Amino acid sequence: MNTSPLRAKRIHFRTKKYRSPDGLPTDICLFTLLSIPRQTKTKSLPLKQLAVLLIKRKSNTFGEQWALPGGFSHESETLDECAYRELKEETNIDRDVHIEQLKTYYKPGRDPRGWIPSVAYVSLVHEDLLKHAQANDDASDAQLFPIEEAFALNLAFDHREILTDALQRVREQMLQTTIAKAFLPDEFTLSELLQVIETVVPSFSAKDRGNFERRLLATTRRQGLLEPVLSADGQPVYSTEFSNSPAKLYRFTGFTPTAMIY
Amino acid sequence: MNTSPLRAKRIHFRTKKYRSPDGLPTDICLFTLLSIPRQTKTKSLPLKQLAVLLIKRKSNTFGEQWALPGGFSHESETLDECAYRELKEETNIDRDVHIEQLKTYYKPGRDPRGWIPSVAYVSLVHEDLLKHAQANDDASDAQLFPIEEAFALNLAFDHREILTDALQRVREQMLQTTIAKAFLPDEFTLSELLQVIETVVPSFSAKDRGNFERRLLATTRRQGLLEPVLSADGQPVYSTEFSNSPAKLYRFTGFTPTAMIY
DNA sequence: CGAATAGTGTCTTTGAGACAATATAGC
DNA sequence: GCTATATTGTCTCAAAGACACTATTCG
């Protein structure tokens, strides 16, 4: 290898020969699943819709734009802390929700205000937590958009690219990890789980509820992914929240089978 | 949601009330697979070893330290361009090698020089490209370490954490994507592919070469992951590089089956 | 023929998927 | 009895994995 360019650059840095970034914001792609009640003759699962949180910006050059919520990080906080802080400021959520660093974006000119990269985060939040927050402030300029609608908007900066990447990441993770739990209560029925997966990843289709059930519960590869919720006397617990026919409740155990292509 | 904190912060930013980061470096975890020839009575596959590139730093406070290669990004370049530039400066590689953003690191005090986050990259490079580069400069302070040895060193900053995350990412990706190709020639035998996977992910074990072969070639789920290399007359091409028994050559097609846990 | 790898055959068990059937409980 | 969901049964075919066997070619 060649002689150390790192050391050379350190000297430059010390003499302040080079500019420094003008700030390091974090931007958050906050996804939630909105429930859309159906009018049916008996109890049924509400439809679900994947939505993302955007805030309105008034730009003097670009007219009305929508942007991912975000804000500048401080020297005294970690990037994760900044993301949590922003989440709290925008949504009033102060819980341990799913939040995950996605990627850092910079290209010359991405922000007209200067040399401003952005550390993008993905957060998955159950709609109940957001409804509570929304009640606090109706005059807010933050709004949830179904993802197709979000992509039809005039988004600020490179936020369309970030949103595209975030959506792709969420879809991958939805199939390869147990992040579905972010959109589910602690105890849920198999229909709820299946619906979450199908809503987030439209290309996923179990087609057959019965086969989905067997795959998840009866195959050794996935043993321990889910466990039935048991009552004090060891009997399975049922829910009739979404159907007259009582449905067994399950929870994630913490074990995740490894997904692989080979 | 509450009233727009982003707008409030923008004003702060414009009045330069807050500090800005002192620089935005990229650091690269460059992995390669080293070949270790075995002395056998007939041709055989060399052993492989996963190694990472580190450079020597002389710190007045910490003594001799090893660090991930890296350097400060410029306003005029993207982060990816910076990573490629650093890669070229350290290894003289100017090819389209596998390079991928991992994560951005910052916590107060991570770099004693100031408010300096780091955008970490992972790069996977075939050893042949590095050998060529190393020949250019023997007095370099850059060196490849087998990963166990790297973890035994006194690494600068939070580079141990970065390396840990990078390794985990590479292992995940090795099983869920076709990045194995970064460590393989364009045309390879099934034994080579299997060896790459087993070396990078020790927990992966096909146990049975025969079954590995059938899985990859005969299952519909993976149809099209690999294709045999064919000569002009449509006959499969064989290699005797690593065995007297000619082995069929394969290449990746570009298709990747989706890995999922459900 | 021995060494080291390549590739096939066979058999068993498990899993995937299609499809059907029955069950539940409120209205 | 109708509705929407829950759950089990059956059958077929695909895939996984264990294990053994043959093939290749150089030295």
Side-chain angles (χ1 to χ4, degrees):
Chain A
M1 328 280 161
N2 49 16
T3 52
S4 171
L6 183 63
R7 204 176 311 135
K9 236 162 285 138
R10 219 185 305 147
I11 293 164
H12 288 161
F13 165 73
R14 281 183 174 148
T15 59
K16 281 284 181 195
K17 186 169 178 178
Y18 289 127
R19 271 197 74 193
S20 287
D22 299 320
L24 186 59
T26 65
D27 288 314
I28 304 181
C29 289
L30 187 156
F31 292 103
T32 193
L33 274 195
L34 298 178
S35 288
I36 303 162
R38 293 187 294 159
Q39 62 290 43
T40 50
K41 300 184 181 172
T42 68
K43 282 191 235 182
S44 64
L45 272 167
L47 291 175
K48 301 269 170 164
Q49 190 168 41
L50 185 63
V52 63
L53 183 73
L54 299 175
I55 62 167
K56 197 188 287 180
R57 285 175 59 94
K58 277 165 203 91
S59 157
N60 17 18
T61 43
F62 299 105
E64 178 176 296
Q65 282 189 317
W66 291 87
L68 298 171
F72 288 85
S73 64
H74 305 154
E75 185 178 4
S76 60
E77 68 187 353
T78 67
L79 295 168
D80 284 9
E81 282 165 359
C82 178
Y84 272 108
R85 180 169 57 78
E86 293 300 327
L87 189 75
K88 165 131 175 70
E89 288 175 8
E90 298 293 344
T91 67
N92 210 33
I93 292 173
D94 204 4
R95 296 234 228 152
D96 185 25
V97 296
H98 179 96
I99 201 165
E100 172 194 353
Q101 194 184 305
L102 173 65
K103 193 180 163 184
T104 298
Y105 292 81
Y106 178 73
K107 62 183 168 215
R110 75 170 285 281
D111 189 320
R113 294 169 291 175
W115 182 5
I116 304 183
S118 165
V119 183
Y121 275 80
V122 169
S123 180
L124 305 184
V125 177
H126 195 286
E127 60 177 336
D128 292 350
L129 299 179
L130 289 175
K131 279 194 180 120
H132 185 265
Q134 259 170 333
N136 287 354
D137 184 307
D138 290 75
S140 164
D141 49 5
Q143 199 178 318
L144 289 170
F145 290 92
I147 46 162
E148 315 79 30
E149 291 180 31
F151 279 115
L153 294 174
N154 176 25
L155 297 182
F157 310 123
D158 51 2
H159 287 187
R160 173 184 302 276
E161 181 188 355
I162 297 177
L163 186 55
T164 302
D165 292 353
L167 186 57
Q168 189 189 326
R169 170 81 139 258
V170 169
R171 286 183 171 153
E172 284 170 11
Q173 302 267 82
M174 182 59 59
L175 298 182
Q176 297 175 352
T177 72
T178 56
I179 53 162
K181 67 175 70 160
F183 290 149
L184 289 168
D186 283 345
E187 305 177 350
F188 51 85
T189 67
L190 289 181
S191 292
E192 287 179 278
L193 171 58
L194 177 56
Q195 193 196 26
V196 166
I197 300 169
E198 288 182 332
T199 304
V200 175
V201 190
S203 62
F204 178 94
S205 179
K207 279 159 198 146
D208 187 310
R209 242 301 306 269
N211 291 334
F212 179 72
E213 181 152 353
R214 247 192 315 256
R215 275 212 309 278
L216 261 60
L217 302 175
T219 68
T220 59
R221 221 193 105 219
R222 289 179 272 253
Q223 277 302 347
L225 171 61
L226 298 181
E227 65 184 7
V229 177
L230 301 179
S231 62
D233 56 341
Q235 288 308 106
V237 179
Y238 291 82
S239 160
T240 55
E241 186 178 0
F242 299 118
S243 80
N244 291 326
S245 182
K248 261 194 206 108
L249 287 173
Y250 293 88
R251 65 166 74 94
F252 284 104
T253 60
F255 166 75
T256 307
T258 54
M260 61 171 88
I261 64 173
Y262 295 109
Chain B
M1 327 279 163
N2 49 17
T3 53
S4 172
L6 183 63
R7 203 177 309 136
K9 236 163 287 140
R10 220 185 305 146
I11 293 164
H12 289 162
F13 166 73
R14 281 182 174 150
T15 58
K16 281 284 181 195
K17 187 170 177 179
Y18 288 126
R19 272 197 73 194
S20 288
D22 299 319
L24 185 59
T26 65
D27 287 314
I28 304 182
C29 290
L30 187 156
F31 292 103
T32 193
L33 274 197
L34 297 177
S35 287
I36 304 162
R38 293 187 293 159
Q39 63 289 45
T40 50
K41 300 185 180 173
T42 68
K43 282 191 236 181
S44 65
L45 272 167
L47 291 176
K48 302 268 170 165
Q49 190 168 42
L50 185 64
V52 63
L53 184 73
L54 299 175
I55 61 168
K56 198 187 286 180
R57 284 175 60 93
K58 278 165 200 93
S59 157
N60 19 17
T61 43
F62 299 104
E64 178 176 297
Q65 281 189 317
W66 291 86
L68 298 171
F72 288 85
S73 63
H74 305 154
E75 184 177 5
S76 60
E77 68 188 351
T78 67
L79 295 167
D80 284 9
E81 283 164 0
C82 178
Y84 272 109
R85 180 169 57 78
E86 293 301 327
L87 188 74
K88 165 132 176 68
E89 288 175 8
E90 298 294 344
T91 67
N92 209 33
I93 291 174
D94 204 4
R95 297 234 228 150
D96 186 25
V97 296
H98 179 95
I99 201 165
E100 174 194 353
Q101 195 184 306
L102 172 66
K103 193 179 162 185
T104 298
Y105 292 82
Y106 178 72
K107 63 182 168 215
R110 74 170 285 281
D111 188 320
R113 294 169 290 175
W115 182 4
I116 304 183
S118 165
V119 184
Y121 275 79
V122 169
S123 180
L124 306 185
V125 176
H126 195 284
E127 61 176 336
D128 292 349
L129 300 179
L130 289 174
K131 277 193 183 121
H132 185 265
Q134 256 169 336
N136 287 354
D137 184 306
D138 289 76
S140 165
D141 50 5
Q143 199 177 317
L144 289 170
F145 291 91
I147 47 162
E148 316 79 30
E149 292 180 31
F151 279 114
L153 294 173
N154 175 24
L155 297 182
F157 309 123
D158 50 2
H159 288 187
R160 173 184 302 276
E161 182 187 354
I162 297 177
L163 185 56
T164 302
D165 292 352
L167 185 58
Q168 189 189 326
R169 169 83 136 256
V170 169
R171 286 182 171 152
E172 283 170 10
Q173 302 267 85
M174 182 60 58
L175 298 182
Q176 297 175 352
T177 73
T178 57
I179 54 163
K181 67 175 69 161
F183 289 150
L184 289 168
D186 283 344
E187 305 176 351
F188 51 86
T189 66
L190 289 181
S191 292
E192 288 179 278
L193 171 58
L194 177 57
Q195 193 196 26
V196 167
I197 301 170
E198 288 183 333
T199 304
V200 175
V201 190
S203 62
F204 178 94
S205 179
K207 278 159 199 146
D208 186 311
R209 240 304 304 272
N211 290 335
F212 180 72
E213 180 152 353
R214 247 194 313 256
R215 276 214 307 279
L216 261 60
L217 303 175
T219 69
T220 59
R221 221 194 105 218
R222 288 179 272 254
Q223 278 302 347
L225 172 61
L226 299 180
E227 65 183 7
V229 178
L230 301 179
S231 62
D233 56 343
Q235 288 308 105
V237 179
Y238 291 83
S239 160
T240 55
E241 186 178 0
F242 299 117
S243 80
N244 292 325
S245 182
K248 261 194 205 109
L249 288 174
Y250 293 88
R251 65 165 74 92
F252 283 105
T253 59
F255 166 75
T256 307
T258 55
M260 61 170 89
I261 64 173
Y262 295 109

